[in-house]
Amino acid sequence: VELHTGRYCDLFNNNKKTKSAFMKLKSSAFFAKKIGLHVHAGHGLSYQTAQKVSKIKYISELNIGHFLIGESIFVGLRDAIIKMRELMDKARL
C-alpha cells in the first residue's frame, strides 16, 4: 500500500503544524504493516519531508523520483540522490 504524504508535505511547506498529519501517517503505516502489507509513501516529498517520513520504521519505500529529477536540474542527479540517501539514512539511525 502507498500512503499519500501530500497533506503532511503541504502543511510543512506552508509552515503549519504537521504533528497530526504525521501521526496519521505513522499510525496508518503501523496498521498496514500489522495486517501484512508492504508500506510505501509518496507525493510531495522533499529533502526535509522525506527525512521526517523516513523515521517511520514501517515504511519500506519512499517514492521520491519526481522531486529528485526536479532537484537534479539545480545540483545534478548524482548529488541530489546522494543528499537524499544521506538524509534518509540519518533519519533511520
Side-chain angles (χ1 to χ4, degrees):
V1 66
E2 180 172 312
L3 302 178
H4 190 284
T5 57
R7 173 101 173 113
Y8 168 74
C9 294
D10 287 344
L11 291 169
F12 181 90
N13 292 332
N14 291 305
N15 297 314
K16 296 190 177 176
K17 294 182 181 182
T18 60
K19 186 175 182 178
S20 176
F22 182 79
M23 293 309 293
K24 285 180 184 179
L25 288 171
K26 191 172 181 178
S27 63
S28 297
F30 172 77
F31 178 74
K33 186 71 172 173
K34 183 178 171 183
I35 63 171
L37 299 175
H38 292 272
V39 185
H40 302 173
H43 299 281
L45 293 169
S46 64
Y47 289 131
Q48 296 83 8
T49 56
Q51 184 177 29
K52 177 75 174 185
V53 173
S54 291
K55 292 180 180 187
I56 302 172
K57 65 181 177 179
Y58 311 107
I59 295 175
S60 61
E61 180 178 303
L62 294 181
N63 293 311
I64 52 175
H66 187 269
F67 172 79
L68 289 174
I69 295 302
E71 185 68 10
S72 73
I73 292 169
F74 302 103
V75 300
L77 187 57
R78 182 178 185 281
D79 289 343
I81 291 170
I82 288 171
K83 182 174 180 176
M84 181 65 81
R85 185 78 240 184
E86 287 173 352
L87 291 170
M88 291 168 46
D89 289 343
K90 186 177 180 181
R92 289 280 173 129
L93 293 179

